[in-house]
């Protein structure tokens, strides 16, 4: 955790309290903070700031001189459409995408998504994984997450409304590389402005998309791109792709 995020109900300026066992353990055992030390905190959905540790017990930490005066970092202007992966992979991906600042996440069914994934108890813990990602990335605003269990109706009826300026789909067997796509995009942009990245990126689960899915996505304006000759795991593909948005926003 690079900051401790608290719900509004635990903050009464200029005071606050930490009740979450994992956060308390982190303060005691990882940060090794003592009375009078300064702690980086934030309010979920609000600002970031600092506080002074005023009282510590094994089950509660009281904070004083709470100052929440720093706005959270801007979200990445992108919607990630992700084919639901294996549950353990999903946990890491939700944390990573949240830490990276993704604005919207759509978890979608695909041909290679096993039906059992949709019954995983981890789907009920997405808020927990989002909180971990926010505390890692020092952010307070959670991504919007939706789940779409029917691929074709979503792609044909809803995907187009999410595409404000272009869309790409990661596909290792496409003819166009991500680098070529970005270069082409830059040439088409005005010289005085940054080239806008796509507003939607579609990423398959392990095994990727089948041809039918690629064709259906293409019909809605999604350009297939590859990232080189190596076949990447879903986690690697997500981080490689979203790194472009981080660099673009820096």
């Amino acid at each position: 955790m690079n900051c401790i995020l608290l719900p509004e109900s635990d903050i009464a300026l200029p005071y606050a309290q930490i009740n979450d066992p994992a956060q308390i353990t982190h303060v005691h055992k990882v940060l090794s903070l003592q009375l009078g030390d300064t702690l980086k905190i934030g309010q979920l959905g609000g600002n970031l700031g600092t506080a002074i540790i005023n009282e510590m017990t094994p089950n509660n930490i009281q904070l004083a001189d709470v100052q929440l005066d720093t706005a959270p970092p801007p979200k990445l202007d992108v919607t990630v459409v992700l084919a639901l992966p294996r549950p353990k992979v999903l946990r890491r991906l939700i944390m990573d995408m949240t830490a990276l600042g993704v604005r919207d996440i759509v978890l979608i069914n695909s041909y290679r998504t096993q039906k059992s994934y949709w019954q995983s108890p981890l789907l009920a813990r997405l808020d927990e994984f989002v909180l971990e990602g926010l505390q890692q990335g020092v952010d307070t605003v959670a991504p919007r997450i939706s789940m779409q269990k029917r691929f074709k109706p979503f792609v044909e009826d809803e995907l187009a409304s999410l595409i404000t300026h272009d869309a790409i789909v990661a596909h290792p067997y496409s003819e166009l590389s991500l680098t070529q796509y970005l270069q082409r995009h830059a040439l088409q942009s005005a010289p005085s402005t940054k080239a806008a990245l796509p507003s939607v990126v579609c990423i398959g689960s392990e095994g990727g998309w089948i041809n039918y899915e690629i064709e259906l996505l293409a019909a809605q304006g999604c350009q297939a791109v590859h990232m080189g000759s190596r076949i990447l795991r879903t986690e690697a593909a997500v981080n490689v792709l979203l790194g472009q948005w981080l660099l673009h926003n820096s």
Side-chain angles (χ1 to χ4, degrees), residues 80-102 104-107 117 122 126 129-130 132-134 143 145 203-206 232-242:
V80 175
V81 177
L82 176 69
L84 187 68
R86 290 179 294 115
K88 289 184 179 180
V89 173
L90 176 65
R91 176 183 180 274
R92 296 193 295 269
L93 284 172
I94 292 296
M95 290 171 58
D96 285 348
M97 289 188 289
T98 301
L100 288 167
V102 172
D104 292 281
I105 300 169
V106 179
L107 301 176
Y117 295 173
L122 291 186
L126 294 184
F129 308 147
V130 165
E132 291 184 60
L134 290 174
I145 301 177
I203 304 171
S205 58
E206 301 297 334
L232 303 178
R233 289 183 178 274
T234 304
E235 303 101 298
V238 166
N239 286 297
V240 168
L241 280 167
L242 293 181

Side-chain angles (χ1 to χ4, degrees), residues 124-249:
R125 298 173 57 192
L126 294 184
D127 288 346
E128 175 187 331
F129 308 147
V130 165
L131 179 61
E132 291 184 60
L134 290 174
Q135 293 180 140
Q136 171 65 36
V138 191
D139 192 1
T140 67
V141 181
R144 295 185 290 258
I145 301 177
S146 63
M147 289 182 274
Q148 301 287 341
K149 295 184 179 182
R150 300 176 66 200
F151 179 86
K152 185 177 179 181
F154 168 77
V155 172
E156 292 185 333
D157 301 335
E158 300 184 45
L159 180 59
S161 65
L162 303 178
I163 303 174
T164 57
H165 48 273
D166 300 324
I168 58 174
V169 51
H171 185 51
Y173 307 112
S174 65
E175 295 182 0
L176 187 69
S177 72
L178 176 62
T179 299
Q180 291 170 330
Y181 173 87
L182 293 175
Q183 289 173 343
R184 179 189 299 177
H185 226 251
L187 289 174
Q188 294 172 347
S189 301
S192 60
T193 62
K194 288 185 177 181
L197 288 167
S199 57
V200 173
V201 55
C202 304
I203 304 171
S205 58
E206 301 297 334
W209 307 101
I210 61 172
N211 289 337
Y212 169 78
E213 292 167 337
I214 291 292
E215 292 169 2
L216 209 60
L217 290 166
Q220 298 301 319
C222 297
Q223 172 65 58
V225 299
H226 68 79
M227 292 175 284
S229 59
R230 299 179 184 275
I231 307 298
L232 303 178
R233 289 183 178 274
T234 304
E235 303 101 298
V238 166
N239 286 297
V240 168
L241 280 167
L242 293 181
Q244 300 295 328
W245 276 259
L246 284 181
L247 293 172
H248 185 78
N249 284 11

